[in-house]
Amino acid sequence: SSIHAEGRLARAAIERARASVAALAGVAPGAVVFTSGGSEAIAAAIRGTCERAPGRRRRILVSRIEHSAVLEGARLMARLGWAVEEVGCGPDGRVAAEAFAERMNEDVALAALQWANNETGVIQPVEEVSRLCREAGAVFLVDAVQAAGKLPLAPRPFEPDLLAVSGHKIGGPQGTGALAVRDGLALAPLIPGGAQERRRRGGTEAVAAIAGFGEAAEAVLRDLEREASRLARLRQRLEDGLRGMFAGVRIHGEAAPRLPNTVNFSIPDVEGETLVVALDLLGFALSTGSACASGAVRPSHVLSAMGLTEADSRRAVRVSLGWSTDDEDVERLLEAVGPAVERARAAARSAVH
């Protein structure tokens, strides 16, 4: 923010990163507001929209499978007097645009739908819901945190009013994110008190982290198509291998279009947490649900919305493939799953007896 040479160099680094993140998000550089992560970007979008919404618009629509940042942000507004409706999904994990259409009217201030689900990888009908919002005059928020770097976000045949992305999801530093704000949209700042980010987010920018975010955005854009194809091939090999090893394996969301890097599966008679622990001891980092739910004992809200029972949800395991994952990693995981499952089933039998 300073006019001396060092300040100008820092400003130049931020603006280079802004241009790179804008290219990733498919927006003009001036639309990008840097934040501390995807969760802050979403909080800024929800709170900022509601504070500036016309008085007649007091409803918020969100899908039931959104990231907790969206769901909890909407529920906070409900406690402040807003009417919040959660839209369900089908057994394939995909929200129907018609479900949004049934609830859309001139009372809706904000509608939120993720581009792709963070637990199943299922891609959502953001284009159709964007059209519904535009026709009703509602602000449309797209959580693209999971999709960025896995799918091309631009060019696209629609334009969301607000779009959130995160640095660490594409290999950048943790603690970085961005909210893309449509030109002309009035948004109250979540963090007031400074002229930074064109008065849209107060506080001194984290220059080094933002620069790293920009470098990561450039890197994923350079190789997006080839990397997506490679990850899809690895995902297919993993899923085929699991089906060949275990009867009754379920790949959650496989009937819908999905991200190329996400596999959410369950094996009969094997608790997901037990399997994750067993594989952790062998050097594999898997999870039983979304990262923000780690340590929680309740079942995944996403799988529950898809109609899975609590017992079925507890069997689910998520594998995320990334730029550092190769064929050998997938083969080693398949080799390790068999013994890990046997140990997990043996432990379950011992606990029963």
Side-chain angles (χ1 to χ4, degrees):
S1 301
S2 301
I3 63 173
H4 51 58
E6 287 80 0
R8 295 195 303 273
L9 286 172
R11 172 55 52 193
I14 290 174
E15 296 311 317
R16 283 195 301 271
R18 196 184 309 278
S20 299
V21 173
L24 175 71
V27 299
V32 172
V33 180
F34 285 117
T35 66
S36 64
S39 292
E40 187 198 319
I42 288 166
I46 294 174
R47 191 66 180 260
T49 297
C50 291
E51 285 192 18
R52 295 287 174 86
R56 70 181 186 280
R57 292 184 181 269
R58 299 289 293 179
R59 292 176 60 228
I60 300 171
L61 302 180
V62 299
S63 90
R64 199 167 293 154
I65 60 170
E66 295 300 302
H67 187 277
S68 57
V70 172
L71 293 176
E72 293 303 323
R75 290 165 187 166
L76 170 61
M77 298 313 299
R79 293 193 292 274
L80 296 176
W82 287 71
V84 176
E85 295 183 44
E86 296 182 7
V87 180
C89 69
D92 62 354
R94 202 162 195 259
V95 176
E98 293 77 13
F100 270 90
E102 291 169 0
R103 296 166 173 81
M104 189 68 68
N105 60 31
E106 294 182 355
D107 295 334
V108 176
L110 174 72
L113 180 64
Q114 57 194 187
W115 199 310
N117 184 258
N118 49 300
E119 293 191 35
T120 63
V122 171
I123 298 169
Q124 304 300 325
V126 288
E127 179 180 350
E128 294 91 331
V129 175
S130 175
R131 184 175 61 254
L132 293 170
C133 290
R134 185 171 62 252
E135 292 171 353
V139 173
F140 184 39
L141 164 62
V142 174
D143 172 5
V145 167
Q146 202 70 21
K150 313 298 187 304
L151 298 175
L153 303 187
R156 54 180 175 249
F158 72 100
E159 194 56 45
D161 299 293
L162 299 161
L163 185 142
V165 292
S166 172
H168 80 271
K169 289 292 185 182
I170 61 170
Q174 293 174 329
T176 55
L179 178 66
V181 182
R182 175 180 56 79
D183 185 40
L185 178 63
L187 199 69
L190 180 67
I191 303 176
Q196 295 87 358
E197 298 301 292
R198 301 185 181 182
R199 296 193 177 278
R200 297 174 297 187
R201 198 266 190 185
T204 301
E205 298 97 337
V207 179
I210 288 172
F213 187 7
E215 290 292 330
E218 289 184 20
V220 296
L221 277 178
R222 276 196 300 267
D223 207 23
L224 182 60
E225 185 175 345
R226 185 172 64 178
E227 181 65 1
S229 177
R230 186 186 74 86
L231 290 174
R233 177 179 57 79
L234 293 179
R235 186 195 71 186
Q236 193 62 50
R237 169 61 187 133
L238 177 57
E239 292 177 357
D240 290 344
L242 290 170
R243 287 194 184 96
M245 295 169 63
F246 307 103
V249 168
R250 296 178 64 179
I251 307 296
H252 305 295
E254 66 175 328
R258 289 180 292 153
L259 295 177
N261 74 312
T262 305
V263 181
N264 193 308
F265 71 93
S266 58
I267 299 172
D269 305 319
V270 179
E271 289 286 316
E273 184 175 352
T274 304
L275 184 57
V276 166
V277 171
L279 290 169
D280 175 47
L281 296 174
L282 298 173
F284 298 95
L286 280 61
S287 66
T288 56
S290 65
C292 289
S294 297
V297 295
R298 62 184 183 277
S300 158
H301 72 281
V302 173
L303 299 180
S304 296
M306 292 168 65
L308 273 68
T309 65
E310 182 172 338
D312 287 339
S313 294
R314 292 187 185 281
R315 296 188 184 102
V317 172
R318 183 183 65 169
V319 181
S320 296
L321 310 173
W323 61 267
S324 62
T325 311
D326 57 25
D327 294 79
E328 183 180 347
D329 293 324
V330 172
E331 297 304 325
R332 287 195 308 111
L333 176 58
L334 288 171
E335 291 173 5
V337 166
V341 166
E342 287 306 311
R343 284 196 295 273
R345 286 175 171 169
R349 289 193 294 268
S350 297
V352 170
H353 298 300

